[in-house]
Amino acid sequence: MTYRIYGGNPSPYSRKLRAILRYRRLPHVWKAGTPETLPEIAQVKPKLIPVLQLPESGELRVDSTPLAYLLEQRHAERSIIPPGAAEAFLCHLLEDFADEWLTKLMFHYRWHEDATALWASHWIVSDAIPSATGKVHDQMAKMFHDRQRGRMGMVGCTPENAPVIEASYARLLDILGPYVGGQHYLFGSRPSLADFGIYGQLSQLVIDPWPQRLCRERAPAVEAWVITLDDASGVDGEWKPERGAAVREALLEMVGAEYLPFLLANAQAMEKGEKEFSVRIRGRGYAQQPFAYQAKCFADIRRRWAELPAEARAGLEGVMEKTGCLGYLQ
């Protein structure tokens, strides 16, 4: 029973799903999204990567988070969801934070600086269109470079928002740097979905020249941790939630101070039909256009909180209040 995953090495979500398949020791074939393979997934909508093909039916599915949960349902061995209801909720919240907030860090650091943007555009074209060489390659790289830079404002990666984004990256490195390494993951000595979500964004940040340099200067252990998680098929660990409590709390403080205020403002703007919203994050202004998908993420987080068993929810209320998350969940 072999899965097929269509994706790209410069895609944080493709790397996230591939790392999950590797850790879970699930047989799979990695198919780069090249002109030769794209017809195989042409019917898939929305047109996102990664695309996972199920082995029995050949059905094609998208969206890395639902795909991770699908694999969880299909395979009991080497689970990536902590067994307790409270820890499972925290795991989902931190993974969502990585997918929807830390991706802004990845996009900003990839396209803001000229030299890194130039490097990234050539890497992406080499990965997606390996047959292109010489002038054809250069033309495609320039076209992709210009397109991605033109999208920066749409996703909030503007010069005005740069101080918020860059401070967030520095804070993330400061939190993870002293902790990660070896078998130190967020819920014990084995990786969780939250670890893989953070890994996905960092898999790009520790490759692109500008953020890689910052990581090596500020928290070199983080790059080594990312390299380990890229293929953690040899990791045999245990769930030990007490081990990562301090680093989880520090990450939850980021969620409460940065991500949840952003999600609330986005959801309110969607409800009002506004074309742009602004929010104060750690005393700084942040503005962008609203997105329906992130409004769905906020609603899903609140639903999961409301559906927690009363005992699990009560056990989390202290840390959620301390980190500034609680008011956004109720």
Side-chain angles (χ1 to χ4, degrees):
M1 186 172 69
T2 301
Y3 290 92
R4 182 171 293 192
I5 175 174
Y6 296 84
N9 284 299
S11 160
Y13 304 104
S14 297
R15 296 282 291 272
K16 167 189 165 187
L17 185 63
R18 184 175 67 182
I20 290 170
L21 287 163
R22 286 173 170 174
Y23 169 70
R24 303 196 71 153
R25 300 173 183 165
L26 297 175
H28 63 279
V29 174
W30 168 260
K31 301 280 283 187
T34 66
E36 291 74 27
T37 61
L38 287 178
E40 300 174 25
I41 55 174
Q43 73 273 31
V44 176
K45 293 181 181 179
K47 293 192 176 299
L48 301 172
I49 55 172
V51 176
L52 187 68
Q53 185 176 49
L54 304 187
E56 309 91 344
S57 63
E59 182 183 358
L60 299 167
R61 301 266 192 105
V62 296
D63 198 336
S64 64
T65 300
L67 289 174
Y69 281 111
L70 175 66
L71 294 174
E72 190 74 15
Q73 294 168 5
R74 291 166 61 91
H75 304 281
E77 64 279 8
R78 296 179 68 80
S79 168
I80 59 172
I81 306 298
E87 288 76 20
F89 173 80
L90 294 181
C91 178
H92 180 85
L93 178 59
L94 292 174
E95 188 255 2
D96 196 75
F97 159 70
D99 276 4
E100 305 301 326
W101 180 257
L102 298 187
T103 195
K104 296 182 185 300
L105 282 54
M106 185 279 298
F107 204 87
H108 167 79
Y109 278 103
R110 174 163 286 175
W111 301 112
H112 181 75
E113 183 195 60
D114 290 345
T116 296
L118 180 64
W119 179 91
S121 62
H122 282 276
W123 176 38
I124 291 166
V125 169
S126 294
D127 190 76
I129 314 175
S131 60
T133 57
K135 290 183 178 180
V136 173
H137 170 97
D138 292 344
Q139 289 170 354
M140 290 182 173
K142 184 180 186 307
M143 181 178 66
F144 194 83
H145 168 280
D146 294 347
R147 187 185 75 171
Q148 293 302 94
R149 279 195 144 179
R151 292 178 171 178
M152 292 186 72
M154 180 178 69
V155 297
C157 295
T158 63
E160 293 77 15
N161 292 340
V164 170
I165 293 171
E166 293 179 8
S168 192
Y169 184 45
R171 189 170 293 107
L172 179 70
L173 293 177
D174 288 347
I175 291 169
L176 295 178
Y179 176 78
V180 298
Q183 292 189 347
H184 286 205
Y185 301 101
L186 296 181
F187 293 88
S189 56
R190 60 187 290 172
S192 69
L193 178 58
D195 293 276
F196 286 113
I198 294 171
Y199 155 83
Q201 305 305 322
L202 286 172
S203 73
Q204 311 302 305
L205 287 159
V206 304
I207 287 180
D208 291 353
W210 179 26
Q212 180 196 65
R213 183 176 68 250
L214 296 175
C215 180
R216 289 180 174 181
E217 291 171 355
R218 198 171 189 114
V222 170
E223 183 178 6
W225 183 73
V226 170
I227 291 169
T228 298
L229 260 181
D230 189 59
D231 186 348
S233 58
V235 173
D236 291 302
E238 300 177 16
W239 296 120
K240 296 181 178 180
E242 68 282 358
R243 175 181 288 187
V247 73
R248 289 199 306 272
E249 184 174 312
L251 290 172
L252 287 172
E253 192 279 333
M254 287 187 70
V255 173
E258 300 171 25
Y259 183 46
L260 290 177
F262 161 80
L263 281 186
L264 176 60
N266 177 80
Q268 291 173 337
M270 285 296 304
E271 187 175 347
K272 296 174 183 176
E274 296 173 346
K275 293 184 178 180
E276 185 176 273
F277 69 90
S278 61
V279 60
R280 301 294 291 179
I281 294 178
R282 298 192 188 273
R284 293 183 169 123
Y286 179 94
Q288 72 163 77
Q289 72 179 64
F291 280 89
Y293 187 85
Q294 288 161 349
K296 287 175 59 179
C297 291
F298 190 39
D300 182 61
I301 289 168
R302 284 180 152 180
R303 176 190 62 79
R304 288 172 183 269
W305 174 257
E307 292 177 357
L308 272 177
E311 184 178 353
R313 190 166 57 250
L316 286 176
E317 283 182 350
V319 71
M320 300 310 272
E321 184 172 13
K322 181 180 179 181
T323 57
C325 295
L326 187 60
Y328 294 99
L329 300 177
Q330 295 175 331

